[in-house]
Amino acid sequence: FFVAPLVAVFGYSATEWNLLTQQATFVGFENYADALTRNPDFWQVLRNSLIFAAGLVPLNMALALSLALALSRPFPGVVLFRTIYFAPVVTAAVAWAIVWKFLLQAETGTVNQTLAFVGIDGPNWLREPGWAMVAVIVTRVLKTVGLNMVLYLAALQSISRDYIEAATLDGANRWQVFRYIVWPLIAPTTLVIMIITVVGSLKVFDHIYLMTGGGPENGTMVLAFYIYEQGFEFFDVGYASALAVILFVVILVLTLLQLRMRGGMGR
């Protein structure tokens, strides 16, 4: 179920195969050459994917760690807050994206109506190139941050209180305790979260498909959605398969780079 489709994608990427006619012609590396050297849209799409990842990953991880630190100690209502922040993770992605699409409407959306109430003229979030990318990044972060929060919570609660109490008795302040004790001890969890979040950000499809459709002006056209468009709207399976292989290589390279960072994360 996994190896066979993976091998098939590599095989299809070397063909010119039209899904409608079911005719395939072997073309070797022609699809790769077309994407990398002759198709300017590919580089814009790849750039959009990297911008999306660069915006989502640090925001997601920083927010998840902040929530975990705030909710790691017991206080009245802590279980309720943990449930609230985790609830979007188990909410259907389709429902989440559609609801936010209505909330971010230019004039009738709740977000802009709230901003207008305090005298701020909100933009057309999903129809302006710059703001559309910001909108899909933020809504995606709110959708997935709860999972990373739970992972950080588990890591924080596994730290022995003896380390923290000993450092406090030696005169360490909160920042020093976090920097020299907490952060090194949760470094392995941070690495796992970083890899999961990077891979997820590069494979994002549902939010783009439902909220912007890759627009405006291809401003949110990311690689996963571009692959879908080439394969199932233009029926060019060979070219779409080549793009899928390129996405696989990009994710593999970024994952290996993150694994090499493992040795320095606790320093």
Side-chain angles (χ1 to χ4, degrees), residues 191-257:
L191 176 65
V192 172
I193 290 174
M194 184 183 298
I195 292 174
I196 292 174
T197 309
V198 169
V199 172
S201 66
L202 291 174
K203 297 196 305 179
V204 64
F205 170 81
D206 44 10
H207 274 62
I208 303 298
Y209 177 78
L210 293 167
M211 294 183 68
T212 65
E217 302 174 7
N218 287 340
T220 59
M221 177 71 72
V222 294
L223 195 50
F225 183 78
Y226 188 59
I227 292 170
Y228 161 82
E229 184 182 68
Q230 296 298 315
F232 297 101
E233 292 187 8
F234 301 148
F235 305 108
D236 193 349
V237 176
Y239 186 63
S241 299
L243 295 174
V245 172
I246 293 174
L247 177 59
F248 167 76
V249 172
V250 170
I251 292 176
L252 178 62
V253 170
L254 290 177
T255 302
L256 293 176
L257 289 175

Side-chain angles (χ1 to χ4, degrees), residues 33-266:
D34 186 28
L36 297 174
T37 63
R38 294 191 291 270
N39 187 356
D41 290 339
F42 169 78
W43 293 105
Q44 180 185 0
V45 169
L46 181 60
R47 174 177 171 271
N48 290 342
S49 296
L50 295 177
I51 289 175
F52 184 88
L56 182 141
V57 174
L59 181 60
N60 189 309
M61 294 183 64
L63 182 57
L65 181 56
S66 299
L67 291 172
L69 289 170
L71 301 176
S72 60
R73 295 185 178 182
F75 62 86
V78 64
V79 176
L80 175 62
F81 283 107
R82 290 176 183 175
T83 304
I84 291 173
Y85 292 128
F86 187 75
V89 177
V90 296
T91 302
V94 173
W96 182 265
I98 291 176
V99 168
W100 273 104
K101 185 174 182 178
F102 283 108
L103 293 176
L104 294 171
Q105 292 295 317
E107 297 179 358
T108 59
T110 304
V111 173
N112 277 355
Q113 288 183 348
T114 303
L115 292 175
F117 183 75
V118 295
I120 300 176
D121 186 15
N124 191 346
W125 295 98
L126 301 178
R127 293 294 178 265
E128 296 181 16
W131 287 112
M133 181 63 78
V134 173
V136 292
I137 288 175
V138 171
T139 54
R140 185 71 176 185
V141 167
L142 295 176
K143 174 72 172 68
T144 59
V145 70
L147 177 60
N148 290 344
M149 178 196 72
V150 169
L151 295 176
Y152 268 131
L153 271 172
L156 290 171
Q157 292 177 349
S158 68
I159 298 175
S160 174
R161 298 294 303 175
D162 295 339
Y163 299 141
I164 299 175
E165 291 173 359
T168 303
L169 290 174
D170 287 339
N173 57 35
R174 289 186 178 182
W175 166 248
Q176 291 171 327
V177 169
F178 174 79
R179 172 66 181 85
Y180 296 106
I181 297 177
V182 174
W183 179 249
L185 291 175
I186 65 172
T189 301
T190 300
L191 176 65
V192 172
I193 290 174
M194 184 183 298
I195 292 174
I196 292 174
T197 309
V198 169
V199 172
S201 66
L202 291 174
K203 297 196 305 179
V204 64
F205 170 81
D206 44 10
H207 274 62
I208 303 298
Y209 177 78
L210 293 167
M211 294 183 68
T212 65
E217 302 174 7
N218 287 340
T220 59
M221 177 71 72
V222 294
L223 195 50
F225 183 78
Y226 188 59
I227 292 170
Y228 161 82
E229 184 182 68
Q230 296 298 315
F232 297 101
E233 292 187 8
F234 301 148
F235 305 108
D236 193 349
V237 176
Y239 186 63
S241 299
L243 295 174
V245 172
I246 293 174
L247 177 59
F248 167 76
V249 172
V250 170
I251 292 176
L252 178 62
V253 170
L254 290 177
T255 302
L256 293 176
L257 289 175
Q258 291 172 86
L259 290 174
R260 292 197 63 180
M261 293 169 54
R262 179 178 182 178
M265 291 190 67

